[in-house]
Amino acid sequence: MSLLKMTILSFTEPADLPIPIPVNLYMCMFNPESYKIENDIQYNDEQSIGEESWSPVYKGIAPRKFTFDFLIDGTGAAGSKREVFLDVMGFKSAVDFNPLINRTPYLLLMWGTMILNCVIDSYSINYTLFRPDGTPLRATISATFMEFKSDTFKAVENAVTAGGLITSIAGAAVNLTTIATESMGSPDFHIDIAKANDMDSPRASTTGNPVSIPPTG
């Protein structure tokens, strides 16, 4: 069984449910060895003139940011190789500004159990090995993605906050794994959701029916 590689799907509109056909994609040569999640808690930092003390007032939570390093190798030392310059161009065309929609595309980053709605926040390219003519043989793309939640996933969160119930949106069949990821923080909880709702299979989906979210504590 082949190793599943991290894939970035590119869309001209938000990747809602059901997921539309992507207009572009980029498949990483190697899966990242690690990644960083940035959680930015925002406060109102306004302070009156002459005020000696300041008490931070909670404002909200900024969208999470995920940073990955993608290695591209053109030497063949790892058993396979890519043309580094063309691979970098493929990454750029998938995530960077798209003149057809006058903005950066909406992205869906997929790797194992991770399904991340996002947009590109920033990226840099570090070239470390070259041919005699100066063309690159190895590069690392350091990319930061900003989480973007579609209307469906926002509605899922709001439903959970309001009363622990989820109803699929506009008749779309919502997979329990998606519900578990968005409402409980991990796809592993899809079995717990199935049990809490007396579903015969944890692979079941719901269309228009309320789904109870069990406590995680």
Side-chain angles (χ1 to χ4, degrees):
M1 183 170 151
S2 61
L3 180 65
L4 295 177
K5 301 295 179 63
M6 176 181 284
T7 302
I8 303 169
L9 303 178
S10 182
F11 304 88
T12 58
E13 55 188 41
D16 218 328
L17 297 173
I19 297 174
I21 298 175
V23 297
N24 206 341
L25 69 84
Y26 175 81
M27 181 177 290
C28 300
M29 184 174 185
F30 305 103
N31 284 325
E33 294 182 355
S34 63
Y35 63 93
K36 181 179 76 172
I37 302 177
E38 179 182 344
N39 296 281
D40 183 14
I41 313 300
Q42 298 180 330
Y43 296 92
N44 188 343
D45 57 1
E46 294 181 1
Q47 185 174 4
S48 302
I49 297 175
E51 186 177 3
E52 296 182 357
S53 61
W54 172 73
S55 177
V57 178
Y58 174 77
K59 230 164 92 173
I61 300 177
R64 291 185 299 174
K65 294 183 179 181
F66 295 73
T67 300
F68 303 88
D69 288 339
F70 306 127
L71 175 65
I72 307 169
D73 182 67
T75 67
S80 61
K81 62 180 180 179
R82 292 186 183 179
E83 187 58 48
V84 173
F85 181 75
L86 294 179
D87 205 78
V88 169
M89 294 301 295
F91 175 83
K92 288 181 177 180
S93 66
V95 307
D96 213 334
F97 181 81
N98 185 339
L100 295 178
I101 58 175
N102 198 35
R103 58 155 295 142
T104 57
Y106 299 94
L107 305 173
L108 192 63
L109 193 151
M110 304 179 69
W111 181 30
T113 58
M114 175 185 288
I115 302 176
L116 177 65
N117 270 292
C118 57
V119 292
I120 191 69
D121 183 71
S122 63
Y123 67 89
S124 62
I125 305 162
N126 183 29
Y127 298 100
T128 55
L129 191 65
F130 305 89
R131 295 186 179 95
D133 62 1
T135 55
L137 273 172
R138 189 170 290 154
T140 300
I141 301 174
S142 295
T144 298
F145 301 89
M146 182 168 60
E147 187 175 32
F148 170 85
K149 294 185 179 179
S150 67
D151 290 340
T152 296
F153 292 138
K154 286 180 181 177
V156 167
E157 282 190 338
N158 292 338
V160 172
T161 302
L165 292 176
I166 290 178
T167 302
S168 57
I169 309 302
V174 182
N175 188 276
L176 292 188
T177 302
T178 300
I179 294 176
T181 302
E182 292 299 319
S183 63
M184 302 177 72
S186 170
D188 296 337
F189 287 112
H190 71 290
I191 296 176
D192 299 88
I193 295 177
K195 290 180 179 178
N197 291 272
D198 296 324
M199 293 182 176
D200 295 332
S201 170
R203 296 182 179 180
S205 60
T206 176
T207 305
N209 298 318
V211 176
S212 177
I213 306 302
T216 58

